[in-house]
Amino acid sequence: MITFGERDYKLNYWKRTGAYAVIQNDKKQFLCVKDSDSLLFLVGGGVDEGESPENALLRESIEETGHEIRIAEEIGKAERHWISSKYPSDSQHNVGTLYAAQLLEKVAEPVEKEIMCWVDYSELEKNLLHEHHLYLIKQYLDIL
């Protein structure tokens, strides 16, 4: 598994294992959620204790977009260490598994407040927060 960044041992350690979806439409755009700082994130999030990554991704998709998804295949795993401006005393560690998925019907209103949007690859490359996710997408698209 490829690792981006390094842990800062002087700070509190915070690890989060997550599952994320790479969803494209017929225009080859990527489904993302955009936060208030215009940073992009793939659909998905943390895996709760006792939950499989796949079940976490299905749950997170409904929470974030209101849509069910169909998981097609696992793309890969990568990890990243970083320090967020929101949590400057924490050395954060995300271990992410990415899955290729298809967007299905809307079954609920999203619980979370981020905006769901479709973006071209160029915007994804500029604004996707997690570089380890972008690395796996490039690997999946065979553009490394």
Side-chain angles (χ1 to χ4, degrees), residues 23 61 66-71 102-107:
I23 301 170
S61 176
H67 288 259
E68 291 183 334
I69 60 170
R70 177 180 299 119
I71 297 171
Q102 297 173 310
L103 190 67
L104 302 177
E105 66 274 357
K106 186 171 183 176
V107 296

Side-chain angles (χ1 to χ4, degrees), residues 105-134:
E105 66 274 357
K106 186 171 183 176
V107 296
E109 288 302 317
V111 175
E112 298 185 14
K113 305 285 188 248
E114 290 87 5
I115 298 167
M116 184 176 100
C117 58
W118 292 99
V119 299
D120 292 323
Y121 178 78
S122 61
E123 185 177 348
L124 184 78
E125 191 173 35
K126 284 189 292 189
N127 296 314
L128 187 66
L129 177 68
H130 292 302
E131 63 187 315
H132 60 309
H133 293 179
L134 186 61

